[in-house]
Coordinates of all heavy atoms in Angstrom, one line a residue:
M1220 N 0.8 -1.2 0.0 CA 0.0 0.0 0.0 C 0.9 1.2 0.0 O 1.7 1.4 0.9 CB -0.9 0.0 1.3 CG -1.6 1.3 1.5 SD -2.3 1.5 3.1 CE -3.7 0.4 3.0
T1221 N 0.7 2.1 -1.0 CA 1.5 3.3 -1.0 C 0.6 4.5 -1.1 O -0.5 4.4 -1.5 CB 2.4 3.3 -2.3 OG1 1.6 3.2 -3.4 CG2 3.4 2.2 -2.2
D1222 N 1.1 5.6 -0.6 CA 0.4 6.9 -0.7 C 1.4 8.0 -1.0 O 2.5 7.7 -1.4 CB -0.4 7.1 0.6 CG 0.6 7.1 1.8 OD1 1.8 7.0 1.7 OD2 0.0 7.2 3.0
A1223 N 1.0 9.2 -0.8 CA 1.9 10.3 -1.2 C 3.1 10.4 -0.3 O 4.2 10.8 -0.8 CB 1.1 11.6 -1.0
V1224 N 3.1 9.8 0.9 CA 4.2 9.9 1.8 C 5.2 8.7 1.5 O 6.4 8.9 1.5 CB 3.7 9.9 3.3 CG1 4.9 9.8 4.2 CG2 2.9 11.1 3.6
G1225 N 4.6 7.6 1.3 CA 5.5 6.4 1.0 C 4.7 5.2 1.4 O 3.5 5.1 1.5
S1226 N 5.5 4.1 1.6 CA 4.9 2.8 1.8 C 4.8 2.5 3.3 O 5.8 2.8 4.0 CB 5.7 1.7 1.1 OG 5.2 0.5 1.5
I1227 N 3.7 2.0 3.7 CA 3.6 1.6 5.1 C 4.1 0.1 5.3 O 4.7 -0.2 6.3 CB 2.1 1.7 5.6 CG1 1.7 3.1 5.5 CG2 1.9 1.1 7.0 CD1 0.2 3.3 5.8
D1228 N 3.9 -0.7 4.2 CA 4.2 -2.1 4.3 C 5.7 -2.4 4.1 O 6.2 -3.3 4.7 CB 3.5 -2.9 3.2 CG 2.0 -2.8 3.5 OD1 1.5 -2.6 4.6 OD2 1.2 -2.9 2.5
K1229 N 6.4 -1.5 3.4 CA 7.8 -1.7 3.1 C 8.7 -0.7 3.8 O 8.3 0.4 3.9 CB 8.1 -1.7 1.6 CG 7.4 -2.7 0.8 CD 7.6 -2.6 -0.6 CE 6.9 -3.6 -1.4 NZ 7.1 -3.4 -2.9
P1230 N 9.9 -1.1 4.3 CA 10.7 -0.1 5.0 C 11.3 0.9 4.0 O 11.4 0.6 2.8 CB 11.8 -1.0 5.6 CG 11.8 -2.2 4.9 CD 10.4 -2.4 4.4
D1231 N 11.7 2.0 4.5 CA 12.4 3.0 3.6 C 13.7 2.5 3.1 O 14.3 1.6 3.6 CB 12.6 4.3 4.4 CG 11.3 5.0 4.8 OD1 10.3 4.7 4.1 OD2 11.3 5.8 5.7
A1232 N 14.2 3.1 2.0 CA 15.5 2.7 1.5 C 16.6 2.9 2.5 O 17.6 2.2 2.5 CB 15.7 3.5 0.2
D1233 N 16.5 3.9 3.3 CA 17.6 4.2 4.3 C 17.7 3.1 5.3 O 18.8 2.7 5.8 CB 17.3 5.5 5.0 CG 17.4 6.7 4.1 OD1 18.1 6.6 3.0 OD2 16.8 7.7 4.4
D1234 N 16.5 2.4 5.6 CA 16.5 1.4 6.6 C 17.2 0.1 6.1 O 17.5 -0.8 6.8 CB 15.1 1.0 7.0 CG 14.5 2.2 7.8 OD1 15.3 3.0 8.3 OD2 13.3 2.2 7.9
E1235 N 17.3 -0.1 4.7 CA 17.8 -1.3 4.2 C 19.3 -1.3 4.0 O 19.9 -2.2 3.6 CB 17.2 -1.5 2.8 CG 15.7 -1.8 2.9 CD 15.0 -1.9 1.5 OE1 15.7 -1.7 0.5 OE2 13.8 -2.1 1.5
S1236 N 20.0 -0.2 4.4 CA 21.4 -0.1 4.3 C 22.1 -1.1 5.3 O 21.5 -1.4 6.3 CB 21.9 1.3 4.6 OG 21.6 1.6 5.9
P1237 N 23.3 -1.6 5.0 CA 24.0 -2.5 5.9 C 24.2 -2.0 7.2 O 24.2 -2.7 8.2 CB 25.3 -2.8 5.2 CG 25.1 -2.4 3.7 CD 24.1 -1.3 3.8
E1238 N 24.4 -0.7 7.4 CA 24.7 -0.1 8.7 C 23.4 -0.1 9.5 O 23.5 -0.3 10.7 CB 25.1 1.4 8.6 CG 26.5 1.6 7.9 CD 26.3 1.7 6.4 OE1 25.2 2.0 5.9 OE2 27.3 1.4 5.7
A1239 N 22.3 0.0 8.9 CA 21.0 0.0 9.6 C 20.6 -1.4 10.1 O 19.9 -1.6 11.1 CB 19.9 0.6 8.8
Q1240 N 21.1 -2.4 9.3 CA 20.8 -3.8 9.6 C 21.6 -4.3 10.8 O 21.2 -5.2 11.5 CB 20.9 -4.6 8.4 CG 19.9 -4.4 7.4 CD 20.1 -5.2 6.1 OE1 21.0 -6.0 6.0 NE2 19.1 -5.1 5.2
E1241 N 22.8 -3.7 11.0 CA 23.6 -4.2 12.1 C 23.0 -3.7 13.4 O 22.8 -2.5 13.6 CB 25.0 -3.7 12.0 CG 25.8 -4.2 10.8 CD 27.1 -3.6 10.7 OE1 27.6 -3.0 11.6 OE2 27.7 -3.7 9.6
K1242 N 22.8 -4.6 14.3 CA 22.2 -4.2 15.6 C 23.3 -4.2 16.7 O 23.9 -5.2 17.0 CB 21.1 -5.1 16.0 CG 20.0 -5.1 15.0 CD 18.7 -5.3 15.7 CE 17.6 -5.2 14.6 NZ 16.3 -5.2 15.0
K1243 N 23.5 -3.0 17.2 CA 24.5 -2.9 18.3 C 23.7 -3.0 19.6 O 22.6 -2.4 19.8 CB 25.2 -1.5 18.2 CG 26.0 -1.4 16.9 CD 26.6 0.0 16.9 CE 27.4 0.2 15.6 NZ 28.0 1.5 15.5
P1244 N 24.3 -3.6 20.6 CA 23.7 -3.7 21.9 C 23.6 -2.3 22.6 O 24.6 -1.5 22.5 CB 24.5 -4.6 22.7 CG 25.8 -4.6 22.0 CD 25.6 -4.3 20.6
R1245 N 22.5 -2.0 23.2 CA 22.3 -0.7 23.8 C 23.0 -0.8 25.2 O 22.9 -1.7 25.9 CB 20.8 -0.4 24.0 CG 20.2 0.0 22.7 CD 18.8 0.4 22.9 NE 18.7 1.7 23.7 CZ 17.6 2.3 24.0 NH1 16.5 1.8 23.7 NH2 17.6 3.4 24.7
K1246 N 23.6 0.3 25.5 CA 24.3 0.4 26.8 C 23.4 0.9 27.9 O 23.7 0.8 29.1 CB 25.5 1.3 26.7 CG 26.6 0.8 25.8 CD 27.3 -0.4 26.4 CE 28.4 -0.8 25.4 NZ 29.1 -1.9 25.9
G1247 N 22.3 1.6 27.6 CA 21.4 2.1 28.6 C 21.6 3.6 28.9 O 20.7 4.2 29.5
G1248 N 22.7 4.1 28.4 CA 22.9 5.6 28.6 C 22.9 6.0 30.1 O 23.4 5.2 30.9
K1249 N 22.4 7.2 30.4 CA 22.4 7.7 31.7 C 21.5 6.8 32.6 O 21.8 6.6 33.8 CB 21.9 9.1 31.7 CG 22.9 10.1 31.1 CD 22.3 11.5 31.2 CE 23.2 12.5 30.5 NZ 22.7 13.8 30.5
R1250 N 20.4 6.4 32.1 CA 19.4 5.6 32.9 C 20.0 4.3 33.3 O 19.6 3.8 34.4 CB 18.1 5.5 32.2 CG 17.3 6.7 32.2 CD 15.9 6.5 31.6 NE 15.9 7.4 30.4 CZ 15.2 7.2 29.3 NH1 14.6 6.0 29.2 NH2 15.2 8.0 28.4
G1251 N 20.8 3.7 32.5 CA 21.3 2.4 32.8 C 22.3 2.4 33.9 O 22.5 1.4 34.6
K1252 N 23.0 3.5 34.2 CA 24.1 3.5 35.1 C 23.6 3.9 36.5 O 24.3 3.8 37.5 CB 25.1 4.6 34.7 CG 25.8 4.1 33.4 CD 26.8 5.2 33.0 CE 27.4 4.8 31.6 NZ 28.3 5.8 31.1
K1253 N 22.4 4.4 36.6 CA 21.9 4.8 37.9 C 21.1 3.7 38.6 O 20.5 2.9 37.9 CB 21.0 6.1 37.7 CG 21.7 7.3 37.3 CD 20.8 8.4 37.2 CE 21.6 9.7 36.7 NZ 20.7 10.8 36.6
G1254 N 21.1 3.7 39.9 CA 20.3 2.8 40.6 C 18.8 3.3 40.7 O 18.4 4.2 40.1
P1255 N 18.0 2.6 41.6 CA 16.6 3.0 41.7 C 16.4 4.4 42.2 O 15.5 5.1 41.7 CB 16.0 2.0 42.7 CG 17.1 1.0 43.0 CD 18.4 1.4 42.3
L1256 N 17.3 4.9 43.1 CA 17.1 6.2 43.6 C 17.5 7.3 42.5 O 16.9 8.3 42.4 CB 18.0 6.4 44.8 CG 17.5 5.7 46.1 CD1 18.5 5.9 47.2 CD2 16.1 6.1 46.5
G1257 N 18.5 6.9 41.7 CA 18.9 7.8 40.6 C 17.8 7.9 39.6 O 17.5 9.0 39.0
R1258 N 17.1 6.8 39.3 CA 16.0 6.8 38.3 C 14.8 7.6 38.9 O 14.1 8.3 38.2 CB 15.6 5.4 38.0 CG 16.6 4.7 37.1 CD 16.1 3.4 36.6 NE 15.9 2.5 37.7 CZ 16.2 1.3 37.8 NH1 16.7 0.7 36.8 NH2 15.9 0.6 38.9
L1259 N 14.6 7.4 40.2 CA 13.5 8.2 40.8 C 13.8 9.7 40.8 O 12.9 10.5 40.5 CB 13.3 7.7 42.3 CG 12.1 8.2 43.0 CD1 10.8 7.8 42.4 CD2 12.1 7.8 44.5
A1260 N 15.0 10.1 41.0 CA 15.4 11.5 41.0 C 15.2 12.0 39.5 O 14.8 13.1 39.3 CB 16.8 11.7 41.4
L1261 N 15.6 11.2 38.5 CA 15.4 11.6 37.1 C 14.0 11.8 36.8 O 13.6 12.7 36.2 CB 16.1 10.5 36.2 CG 15.9 10.7 34.7 CD1 16.6 12.0 34.3 CD2 16.3 9.5 34.0
F1262 N 13.1 10.8 37.3 CA 11.7 10.9 37.1 C 11.2 12.2 37.7 O 10.4 13.0 37.0 CB 11.0 9.7 37.6 CG 9.5 9.8 37.6 CD1 8.8 9.7 36.4 CD2 8.7 10.1 38.7 CE1 7.4 9.8 36.3 CE2 7.4 10.2 38.7 CZ 6.7 10.0 37.5
Y1263 N 11.6 12.5 38.9 CA 11.1 13.8 39.6 C 11.5 15.0 38.8 O 10.7 15.9 38.6 CB 11.7 13.8 41.0 CG 11.3 15.0 41.7 CD1 10.0 15.2 42.2 CD2 12.2 16.1 41.9 CE1 9.7 16.4 42.9 CE2 11.9 17.2 42.6 CZ 10.6 17.4 43.1 OH 10.3 18.5 43.8
R1264 N 12.8 15.0 38.3 CA 13.3 16.2 37.5 C 12.5 16.3 36.2 O 12.1 17.4 35.8 CB 14.7 16.0 37.2 CG 15.6 16.3 38.4 CD 17.1 16.5 38.0 NE 17.6 15.4 37.2 CZ 18.2 14.3 37.7 NH1 18.3 14.2 39.0 NH2 18.7 13.4 37.0
Q1265 N 12.1 15.2 35.6 CA 11.3 15.3 34.4 C 9.9 15.8 34.6 O 9.4 16.5 33.8 CB 11.3 13.9 33.7 CG 12.6 13.5 33.1 CD 12.6 12.1 32.6 OE1 11.7 11.3 32.9 NE2 13.6 11.8 31.8
V1266 N 9.3 15.3 35.8 CA 8.0 15.8 36.1 C 8.0 17.3 36.4 O 7.1 18.1 35.9 CB 7.5 15.1 37.4 CG1 6.2 15.7 37.9 CG2 7.1 13.6 37.0
V1267 N 9.0 17.8 37.1 CA 9.1 19.2 37.4 C 9.3 20.0 36.1 O 8.7 21.1 35.8 CB 10.2 19.5 38.4 CG1 10.5 21.0 38.5 CG2 9.9 19.0 39.7
A1268 N 10.1 19.5 35.1 CA 10.3 20.1 33.9 C 9.0 20.2 33.0 O 8.8 21.2 32.4 CB 11.4 19.4 33.1
E1269 N 8.2 19.1 33.1 CA 7.0 19.2 32.3 C 6.0 20.1 33.0 O 5.2 20.8 32.3 CB 6.4 17.7 32.3 CG 7.1 16.8 31.3 CD 7.1 17.3 29.9 OE1 6.0 17.8 29.4 OE2 8.1 17.1 29.2
L1270 N 6.0 20.2 34.3 CA 5.0 21.1 35.0 C 5.4 22.6 34.7 O 4.5 23.4 34.7 CB 5.0 20.9 36.5 CG 4.3 19.6 36.9 CD1 4.4 19.4 38.4 CD2 2.8 19.7 36.6
R1271 N 6.7 22.8 34.4 CA 7.0 24.2 34.1 C 6.5 24.6 32.7 O 6.4 25.8 32.4 CB 8.6 24.4 34.1 CG 9.1 24.4 35.5 CD 10.6 24.7 35.5 NE 11.0 24.7 36.9 CZ 12.2 24.2 37.3 NH1 13.0 23.7 36.4 NH2 12.5 24.2 38.6
K1272 N 6.3 23.6 31.8 CA 5.8 23.9 30.5 C 4.3 24.2 30.5 O 3.7 24.7 29.5 CB 6.0 22.7 29.6 CG 7.5 22.4 29.3 CD 7.6 21.2 28.4 CE 9.1 20.8 28.3 NZ 9.2 19.6 27.5
V1273 N 3.6 23.8 31.6 CA 2.1 24.0 31.6 C 1.7 25.4 31.6 O 2.3 26.2 32.4 CB 1.5 23.2 32.8 CG1 0.0 23.5 33.0 CG2 1.8 21.7 32.8
V1274 N 0.7 25.8 30.9 CA 0.2 27.1 30.9 C -1.0 27.1 31.9 O -2.0 26.6 31.7 CB -0.3 27.6 29.5 CG1 -0.9 29.0 29.6 CG2 0.8 27.5 28.5
W1275 N -0.7 27.7 33.1 CA -1.7 27.7 34.2 C -2.7 28.8 33.9 O -2.4 29.9 33.5 CB -1.0 27.9 35.5 CG 0.0 26.8 35.8 CD1 1.3 26.8 35.7 CD2 -0.4 25.5 36.3 NE1 1.9 25.6 36.0 CE2 0.8 24.8 36.4 CE3 -1.5 24.8 36.6 CZ2 0.9 23.4 36.9 CZ3 -1.5 23.5 37.1 CH2 -0.3 22.9 37.2
P1276 N -4.0 28.5 34.2 CA -5.0 29.5 34.1 C -4.9 30.6 35.1 O -4.4 30.4 36.2 CB -6.3 28.8 34.2 CG -6.0 27.6 35.0 CD -4.6 27.2 34.7
T1277 N -5.4 31.8 34.7 CA -5.4 32.9 35.7 C -6.6 32.7 36.7 O -7.4 31.8 36.5 CB -5.6 34.2 35.0 OG1 -6.9 34.2 34.3 CG2 -4.5 34.5 34.0
R1278 N -6.6 33.5 37.7 CA -7.7 33.3 38.7 C -9.1 33.5 38.1 O -10.0 32.8 38.4 CB -7.5 34.3 39.9 CG -8.5 34.1 41.0 CD -8.2 34.9 42.2 NE -6.9 34.5 42.8 CZ -6.8 33.6 43.8 NH1 -7.9 33.0 44.2 NH2 -5.7 33.3 44.3
N1279 N -9.1 34.5 37.2 CA -10.4 34.8 36.5 C -10.8 33.7 35.6 O -12.0 33.3 35.6 CB -10.2 36.1 35.7 CG -11.5 36.6 35.1 OD1 -12.6 36.3 35.6 ND2 -11.5 37.4 34.1
Q1280 N -9.9 33.1 34.9 CA -10.2 32.0 34.0 C -10.7 30.8 34.8 O -11.6 30.1 34.5 CB -9.0 31.6 33.2 CG -8.7 32.5 32.1 CD -7.4 32.2 31.4 OE1 -6.5 31.6 32.0 NE2 -7.2 32.6 30.1
L1281 N -10.0 30.5 35.9 CA -10.3 29.4 36.8 C -11.7 29.5 37.4 O -12.4 28.5 37.4 CB -9.2 29.3 37.9 CG -9.3 28.1 38.8 CD1 -9.1 26.8 38.0 CD2 -8.3 28.2 39.9
S1282 N -12.1 30.7 37.8 CA -13.4 30.9 38.4 C -14.5 30.7 37.3 O -15.5 30.2 37.5 CB -13.5 32.2 39.1 OG -13.3 33.3 38.2
T1283 N -14.2 31.2 36.1 CA -15.1 31.1 35.0 C -15.3 29.6 34.6 O -16.4 29.1 34.4 CB -14.6 31.8 33.7 OG1 -14.4 33.2 34.1 CG2 -15.5 31.7 32.6
Y1284 N -14.2 28.9 34.5 CA -14.3 27.4 34.2 C -15.0 26.7 35.2 O -15.8 25.8 34.9 CB -12.9 26.8 34.0 CG -12.1 27.4 32.8 CD1 -10.7 27.3 32.8 CD2 -12.7 28.0 31.8 CE1 -9.9 27.9 31.8 CE2 -11.9 28.6 30.7 CZ -10.6 28.5 30.8 OH -9.8 29.0 29.7
T1285 N -14.7 27.0 36.5 CA -15.4 26.3 37.6 C -16.9 26.6 37.6 O -17.7 25.7 37.8 CB -14.8 26.8 39.0 OG1 -13.4 26.5 38.9 CG2 -15.4 26.0 40.1
T1286 N -17.3 27.8 37.3 CA -18.7 28.2 37.2 C -19.4 27.4 36.1 O -20.5 26.9 36.2 CB -18.9 29.7 37.0 OG1 -18.2 30.4 38.1 CG2 -20.3 30.1 37.0
V1287 N -18.7 27.4 34.9 CA -19.3 26.7 33.8 C -19.5 25.2 34.1 O -20.5 24.6 33.8 CB -18.4 26.8 32.6 CG1 -18.8 25.9 31.4 CG2 -18.5 28.3 32.1
V1288 N -18.5 24.6 34.8 CA -18.6 23.1 35.1 C -19.8 22.9 36.1 O -20.6 22.0 35.9 CB -17.3 22.6 35.6 CG1 -17.5 21.2 36.3 CG2 -16.2 22.5 34.5
I1289 N -19.9 23.8 37.1 CA -20.9 23.6 38.1 C -22.3 23.8 37.5 O -23.2 23.0 37.8 CB -20.7 24.5 39.3 CG1 -19.5 24.1 40.1 CG2 -21.9 24.6 40.2 CD1 -19.0 25.0 41.2
V1290 N -22.5 24.8 36.7 CA -23.7 25.0 36.0 C -24.1 23.8 35.1 O -25.2 23.3 35.1 CB -23.7 26.3 35.2 CG1 -24.9 26.4 34.2 CG2 -23.7 27.5 36.1
F1291 N -23.1 23.3 34.4 CA -23.4 22.1 33.5 C -23.8 20.9 34.3 O -24.7 20.2 33.9 CB -22.1 21.8 32.7 CG -22.3 20.6 31.8 CD1 -23.0 20.7 30.6 CD2 -21.7 19.4 32.1 CE1 -23.1 19.6 29.8 CE2 -21.8 18.3 31.4 CZ -22.6 18.4 30.2
V1292 N -23.1 20.7 35.4 CA -23.4 19.5 36.3 C -24.8 19.7 36.8 O -25.6 18.7 36.9 CB -22.4 19.4 37.4 CG1 -22.8 18.4 38.4 CG2 -21.0 18.9 36.8
V1293 N -25.2 20.9 37.3 CA -26.6 21.1 37.8 C -27.6 20.8 36.7 O -28.6 20.2 37.0 CB -26.7 22.5 38.4 CG1 -28.1 22.9 38.7 CG2 -25.8 22.6 39.7
I1294 N -27.3 21.3 35.5 CA -28.3 21.1 34.4 C -28.4 19.6 34.1 O -29.5 19.1 33.9 CB -27.8 21.9 33.1 CG1 -28.0 23.4 33.4 CG2 -28.6 21.4 31.9 CD1 -27.4 24.3 32.3
M1295 N -27.3 18.9 34.1 CA -27.3 17.4 33.8 C -28.1 16.7 34.9 O -28.8 15.7 34.7 CB -25.9 16.9 33.6 CG -25.3 17.4 32.4 SD -26.2 17.1 30.9 CE -26.3 15.3 30.8
I1296 N -27.9 17.1 36.2 CA -28.6 16.5 37.3 C -30.1 16.7 37.1 O -30.9 15.8 37.3 CB -28.1 17.1 38.7 CG1 -26.7 16.5 39.0 CG2 -29.1 16.7 39.8 CD1 -26.1 17.2 40.2
G1297 N -30.5 17.9 36.7 CA -31.9 18.2 36.5 C -32.4 17.3 35.3 O -33.5 16.8 35.4
F1298 N -31.7 17.2 34.3 CA -32.1 16.4 33.1 C -32.3 14.9 33.5 O -33.3 14.3 33.2 CB -31.0 16.6 32.0 CG -31.3 15.8 30.8 CD1 -32.4 16.1 29.9 CD2 -30.6 14.7 30.4 CE1 -32.7 15.4 28.8 CE2 -30.8 13.9 29.3 CZ -31.9 14.3 28.5
V1299 N -31.3 14.4 34.2 CA -31.4 13.0 34.6 C -32.5 12.8 35.6 O -33.3 11.8 35.5 CB -30.0 12.5 35.2 CG1 -30.2 11.2 35.9 CG2 -29.0 12.5 34.2
A1300 N -32.8 13.7 36.5 CA -33.9 13.6 37.4 C -35.2 13.6 36.7 O -36.1 12.8 37.0 CB -33.8 14.8 38.4
V1301 N -35.4 14.5 35.7 CA -36.6 14.5 34.9 C -36.8 13.2 34.2 O -37.9 12.6 34.1 CB -36.6 15.7 34.0 CG1 -37.7 15.6 32.9 CG2 -36.7 17.0 34.7
I1302 N -35.8 12.7 33.5 CA -35.8 11.4 32.8 C -36.2 10.3 33.8 O -37.0 9.5 33.5 CB -34.5 11.1 32.1 CG1 -34.2 12.2 31.0 CG2 -34.5 9.8 31.5 CD1 -35.2 12.2 29.9
D1303 N -35.6 10.3 34.9 CA -35.8 9.2 35.9 C -37.3 9.3 36.4 O -37.9 8.3 36.5 CB -34.9 9.4 37.1 CG -35.0 8.3 38.1 OD1 -35.1 7.1 37.7 OD2 -35.1 8.6 39.3
Y1304 N -37.7 10.5 36.7 CA -39.1 10.7 37.1 C -40.1 10.2 36.0 O -41.1 9.5 36.3 CB -39.4 12.1 37.5 CG -40.8 12.4 37.9 CD1 -41.3 12.0 39.2 CD2 -41.8 13.0 37.1 CE1 -42.6 12.2 39.6 CE2 -43.1 13.2 37.5 CZ -43.5 12.8 38.7 OH -44.8 13.0 39.1
G1305 N -39.8 10.6 34.8 CA -40.6 10.1 33.7 C -40.7 8.6 33.5 O -41.7 8.0 33.3
F1306 N -39.5 8.0 33.6 CA -39.5 6.5 33.5 C -40.2 5.9 34.7 O -40.9 4.9 34.5 CB -38.0 6.0 33.5 CG -37.4 6.1 32.1 CD1 -36.1 6.5 32.0 CD2 -38.1 5.7 31.0 CE1 -35.5 6.6 30.7 CE2 -37.5 5.8 29.7 CZ -36.2 6.2 29.6
S1307 N -40.1 6.4 35.9 CA -40.8 5.9 37.0 C -42.3 6.0 36.8 O -43.0 5.0 37.2 CB -40.3 6.5 38.3 OG -40.8 7.8 38.4
Q1308 N -42.8 7.1 36.3 CA -44.2 7.2 36.0 C -44.7 6.3 35.0 O -45.8 5.7 35.1 CB -44.5 8.7 35.6 CG -44.3 9.7 36.7 CD -45.1 9.4 38.0 OE1 -46.3 9.1 37.9 NE2 -44.5 9.4 39.1
V1309 N -43.9 6.1 33.9 CA -44.2 5.1 32.9 C -44.3 3.7 33.5 O -45.2 2.9 33.2 CB -43.2 5.2 31.7 CG1 -43.4 4.0 30.8 CG2 -43.4 6.5 31.0
M1310 N -43.3 3.3 34.3 CA -43.3 2.0 34.9 C -44.5 1.8 35.9 O -45.1 0.7 35.9 CB -42.0 1.8 35.7 CG -40.8 1.6 34.9 SD -40.9 0.2 33.8 CE -40.8 1.1 32.2
K1311 N -44.9 2.9 36.6 CA -46.1 2.8 37.4 C -47.3 2.6 36.6 O -48.2 1.8 37.0 CB -46.2 4.0 38.3 CG -45.3 4.1 39.5 CD -45.5 5.4 40.3 CE -44.5 5.5 41.4 NZ -44.6 6.7 42.1
Y1312 N -47.4 3.2 35.5 CA -48.6 3.1 34.6 C -48.6 1.7 34.0 O -49.7 1.1 33.9 CB -48.5 4.2 33.5 CG -49.7 4.1 32.5 CD1 -50.9 4.5 32.9 CD2 -49.4 3.6 31.2 CE1 -52.0 4.4 32.0 CE2 -50.5 3.5 30.3 CZ -51.7 3.9 30.7 OH -52.8 3.8 29.8
V1313 N -47.4 1.2 33.5 CA -47.4 -0.1 32.8 C -47.6 -1.2 33.8 O -48.4 -2.1 33.5 CB -46.1 -0.3 32.1 CG1 -45.9 -1.7 31.6 CG2 -46.0 0.7 30.9
F1314 N -47.0 -1.2 34.9 CA -47.0 -2.3 35.9 C -48.0 -2.1 37.0 O -48.1 -3.0 37.9 CB -45.6 -2.6 36.4 CG -44.7 -3.1 35.3 CD1 -43.7 -2.4 34.9 CD2 -44.9 -4.4 34.7 CE1 -42.8 -2.8 33.9 CE2 -44.1 -4.8 33.7 CZ -43.0 -4.0 33.3
G1315 N -48.6 -1.0 37.1 CA -49.6 -0.8 38.1 C -49.1 -0.1 39.3 O -48.9 0.0 40.3

């Protein structure tokens, strides 16, 4: 199967080179040399780095989003309550 980008079923021409076919054993890099505490520290540093990339909402945005969610939940509770009441009345009518 081919498309504008290339083939999904066949590897690219670069992958068929003899250098690409030779598999060298991986050494593990920085992660392989550290013990469990080192890996835990690395994980913690990565989490902190990702949290720094997050765009946090302002107080105004947060209150707006919270209000929207609460209003939506109240509307859905009302909708489900009406549907439940309707079904209960239908069941009372059908089964006595």
